[in-house]
């Protein structure tokens, strides 16, 4: 009754790819801009911002997920259930993204929208960290994985949780700053990988 | 004219991943909550409940499907047609989920919505059981699969059908209780796998 | 600059899976049935019929596509362009399906809807046949494929084109009968595979 | 922390397949054509045109992406980040497509829509070219890839950028001509592959 890593990856990739693509469906120009399309397009900046933040975050989570499963030589069911919980949040993300896009700029509601959005991101990142912990504890990681590599991934996942909590607090006072913060965190999660790779000159084997 | 298990899995995974992700598109805050977004978000609890129940059920069906095809060394066309019928119901599920989300709490219609929802779940679980029966009868299962493993999967699939029928009856009188019941069944279908794995210490090979 | 069969299959499976799953998004109960949900659900029978016909047809095309690529040991670019044209029609199908669902039963428009729907199905089936012809002509088929197997697939694909043309004519006079006809053809395309397999007792190797 | 080419392909194929399929969701007949469905269907020609141009362009990008990754024996993270940026634009494309479909024919807004559409296409093609440059510079390409093959792909990608810039200018004066131009470029990107293949008689190995 065990599950192969390959099919879990295929199913997860499907959910990641769909969630990242569905985000665009919520973007639309409201009526009232006939003959002034450029103004209408520009008026939707919160939608584009929310789109990019969510896209970058799902991209970062996909990269992290990819890295974790790459080190694994098998899956147990605790891992699979945690993975389902992560996918639940990832596929839910288009809804908080829509809330954010619709309410950024409206004084009363943007705090609520930014907080719900931030909680969803925090939850997803927490589950990604738990997936990594589970892989380590249950010996799902290849025995020949270097200690340095394990430490590096651990060191990268942990601080992002603290930053998300801090941004949640910031978001209650200045939602816009928090959203920019979420974007920066997502880029931070994609960039360090690059920093590390610089050390290795040769490309990875496919 | 035979079909490989791998491509059937890829196509099925695609449908599972999309159906599980499309569920979120139906969630939206109706107009009239401007300036009271939190209240608006909370008012949509039936949507979140329906989302989670459908997500958990599709997740459980995916796990079961994964287990069945894992034991198989080939597919016949009766299996493939049953599989198409299962995918028909899985990809249809967003509609009953929407009906449930929109009508939970409205006295007159919630019975109907819960019943249609329950029938769809029952049908999907029935087809999953038929897939397993077909795999066993047509000798599609690897010869070296242990009898114990076969019995265990059979024992897990059968009682869920009886529970779904019972919940259908319950749902006619107290729809909300039935919906919670569907959630519990989905968790029950995900959990026993874990109980069984505890016996095996070593992780599965990828 | 050649393309692997595997990635073409993966991309095609993605499009098939999404097109087959998006069909459900168009199903909704119109306003005015509050307190009479069952009546509202029943009133949408054209949607369910159109859903099932389109699902069965895409399922049949997927089975045929699967069979064709199974026999192939490589792809050329003429094949890939034909394949893109097939995917264009398959991913377009949700639109004619919506037209059919909305207009079945309305005297004036159902002929037009049924004709557009039928032309799309005919086009898709024609492209599937052209894919098979291209595979045969360009020697993309495995040399050790039996002549009998090739004849059988050819014999199955050709008559369906004639039937689709006949149903197009029928659909101009009695659209409902044509739609039932499209459903029967889809089942006919799924069933013969089974008839043939009966001859081979052993299951296919995965 | 390196990534396999296979999983990057799977994730990218998912995004390509979904973006290409979501395009159809925006096509709908506006109210007011009851009893005149054919006229209603014909009135939506800008939607079909935009659908076909976007489908052909994503198809061409997919073919190019497929060709690039086919030559690669591994990925580095700079490549993966560029790939995420490409996917960002591809999954964003349904929005400019919708803008184009809604505004083609309306004097005031079609310039703006055609320009936004063209910029998105130019950006996607630019990123595809950068992916190829990155693969060449970072030695991600198989050492045994022929120089001629590398030159040919380079020669095909570069001129399309100049043509897109030219069409952007054209689009500001005669949007419709530019849109037809985008369609021709997409076909041009799909056709040359065929011209080249003619030279090799034998089909590619799967």
């Amino acid at each position: 009754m065990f599950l192969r890593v390959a099919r879990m990856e295929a199913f997860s990739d499907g959910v990641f790819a769909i969630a990242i693509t569905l985000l665009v469906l919520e973007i639309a120009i409201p009526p009232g801009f006939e003959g002034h399309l450029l103004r209408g397009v520009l008026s939707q900046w919160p939608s584009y911002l929310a789109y990019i933040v969510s896209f970058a975050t799902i991209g970062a989570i996909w990269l992290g997920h990819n890295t974790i499963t790459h080190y694994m030589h098998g899956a147990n069911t605790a891992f699979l259930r945690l993975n389902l919980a992560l996918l639940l949040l990832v596929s839910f993300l288009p809804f908080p993204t829509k809330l954010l896009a619709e309410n950024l700029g409206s004084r009363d509601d943007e705090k609520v929208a930014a907080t719900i959005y931030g909680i969803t991101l925090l939850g997803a990142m927490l589950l990604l960290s738990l997936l990594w912990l589970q892989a380590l504890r249950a010996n799902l990681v290849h025995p020949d994985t270097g200690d340095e590599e394990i430490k590096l991934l651990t060191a990268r996942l942990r601080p992002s949780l603290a930053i998300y909590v801090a941004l949640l607090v910031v978001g209650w006072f200045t939602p816009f700053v928090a959203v920019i913060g979420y974007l920066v965190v997502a880029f931070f999660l994609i960039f360090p990988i690059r920093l590390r790779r610089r050390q290795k000159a040769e490309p990875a084997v496919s």
Side-chain angles (χ1 to χ4, degrees), chain A:
Chain A
M1 203 79 68
F2 60 88
L3 281 159
R4 294 146 287 170
V5 172
R7 197 168 171 193
M8 181 199 63
E9 289 183 333
F11 181 63
S12 305
D13 277 354
V15 172
F16 284 127
I18 299 155
I20 218 168
T21 317
L22 284 185
L23 295 166
V24 82
L25 287 184
E26 308 293 356
I27 306 180
I29 311 292
F33 289 101
E34 286 74 21
H36 303 283
L37 185 61
L38 187 60
R39 218 184 296 163
V41 168
L42 293 177
S43 76
Q44 297 304 302
W45 65 265
S47 289
Y48 314 132
L49 179 61
Y51 176 75
I52 288 172
V53 179
S54 291
F55 192 100
T57 305
I58 295 181
I61 291 173
W62 177 77
L63 278 172
H65 192 269
N66 205 333
T67 310
I68 291 171
T69 62
H70 175 76
Y71 286 142
M72 286 164 64
H73 59 108
N76 67 2
T77 43
F79 188 92
L80 288 170
R81 280 186 298 137
L82 282 172
N83 193 53
L84 274 180
L86 171 63
L87 296 181
L88 178 80
L89 282 183
V90 167
S91 70
F92 184 70
L93 193 58
F95 175 62
T97 304
K98 178 169 62 177
L99 285 185
L100 193 68
E102 284 172 354
N103 292 290
L104 254 190
S106 69
R107 278 290 137 80
D108 295 321
D109 292 332
E110 65 176 354
K111 288 179 194 184
V112 178
T115 304
I116 292 170
Y117 187 75
I119 289 172
T120 310
L121 295 190
L122 174 63
M125 207 55 78
L126 187 68
L127 281 161
L128 191 68
S129 304
L130 288 176
L131 276 176
W132 180 231
L133 276 181
Q134 174 63 26
L136 288 177
R137 278 189 196 165
N139 293 320
L140 304 173
V141 172
H142 263 297
D144 55 338
T145 309
D147 278 3
E148 199 197 353
E149 284 176 306
I150 290 175
K151 270 185 203 158
L152 212 128
L153 183 53
T154 310
R156 189 144 50 89
L157 286 171
R158 206 176 304 156
S160 66
L161 294 178
I163 296 169
Y164 276 118
V165 171
L167 287 173
L168 265 173
V169 177
V170 169
W172 193 254
F173 298 99
T174 52
F176 182 75
V177 173
V179 172
I180 299 297
Y182 294 131
L183 186 60
V184 172
V185 175
F187 275 107
F188 165 87
L189 285 165
I190 298 172
F191 269 73
I193 305 181
R194 176 191 161 216
L195 292 174
R196 198 183 146 268
R197 281 209 54 81
R198 283 271 163 87
Q199 298 159 3
K200 287 196 182 180
E202 74 277 64
V205 180
S206 66

